[in-house]
Amino acid sequence: EGKHGETISGAVQENKLKIFFYIIDFLDNGAWAMTPLPSIRQLHYLLTLSEHLNFTRAAEACFVTQSTLSTG
């Protein structure tokens, strides 16, 4: 993969960690009591997007349109 592949891989891992800590912080602050939690499908879309770093490729990987992915 070389340097470009390592950069993408590092960015994916960083995005996954940011999402994970955002969710933990969200739950820890009790905000979940007043805000509906995201569905499993929405979490899947978010994770796929963090892996591909591209809406078009993430939508293709989820077998949905880019519009569907964007609106969750």
Side-chain angles (χ1 to χ4, degrees):
E1 297 277 334
K3 193 168 193 131
H4 184 262
E6 293 168 8
T7 303
I8 297 283
S9 178
V12 168
Q13 290 302 320
E14 184 178 327
N15 285 341
K16 285 183 179 180
L17 282 174
K18 285 180 183 178
I19 291 166
F20 173 77
F21 285 116
Y22 174 80
I23 292 170
I24 295 300
D25 188 50
F26 179 82
L27 295 173
D28 192 43
N29 286 330
W32 57 270
M34 295 177 281
T35 306
L37 293 175
S39 68
I40 297 297
R41 180 177 292 150
Q42 289 170 322
L43 290 173
H44 173 68
Y45 291 169
L46 186 60
L47 264 173
T48 305
L49 182 59
S50 75
E51 290 171 359
H52 291 276
L53 302 175
N54 179 290
F55 277 91
T56 302
R57 288 193 297 257
E60 290 170 355
C62 292
F63 302 102
V64 298
T65 63
Q66 187 174 342
S67 175
T68 297
L69 183 79
S70 298
T71 58

